[in-house]
Amino acid sequence: MIAPSHLSDPAVRAFVTAVNAGDQDAFEAVLTPDATMSDDGSDRDVAQWADKEIFSSGGRMLVESESDGGHALVVNYRNDTWGEMRTTWRFTVSDDGHISRFETGQA
């Protein structure tokens, strides 16, 4: 496993750290105001999805590997709703260092 503090990209590092801390303010701060996301190929509302899949269900990311300069992760993701599953995450980071889009799905 890769500790969040050792992830290559600062924005992705902040994203994972916020998720694991259950820190919704820090999570929102790392995203652009118009950030988008998809889950298993379907676009979702970021705020609604994050509340359901991360913050109200104790979401945690255990990073198995990273690639693409730290913008792609393989993660053992767990929450109280679905249990643990192996997932992929891909991040688009804007020029100002915020995440403008993330995509997740089963690995």
Side-chain angles (χ1 to χ4, degrees), residues 6-13 66-73 90-91 93:
H6 291 114
L7 294 172
S8 300
D9 186 271
V12 174
R13 185 182 322 129
E66 70 173 350
S67 58
D68 191 23
H71 294 160
L73 305 177
R90 179 163 283 292
F91 299 90
V93 179

Side-chain angles (χ1 to χ4, degrees), residues 16-76:
V16 173
T17 299
V19 168
N20 288 348
D23 188 338
Q24 194 163 356
D25 291 336
F27 176 84
E28 291 170 3
V30 75
L31 301 176
T32 61
D34 59 347
T36 60
M37 62 88 52
S38 71
D39 184 358
D40 283 329
S42 296
D43 279 2
R44 308 278 189 209
D45 177 271
V46 175
Q48 289 177 354
W49 183 90
D51 180 60
K52 179 180 177 192
E53 300 293 338
I54 300 172
F55 300 110
S56 67
S57 62
R60 299 245 332 133
M61 301 175 79
L62 298 174
V63 180
E64 183 178 305
S65 64
E66 70 173 350
S67 58
D68 191 23
H71 294 160
L73 305 177
V74 175
V75 171
N76 289 323

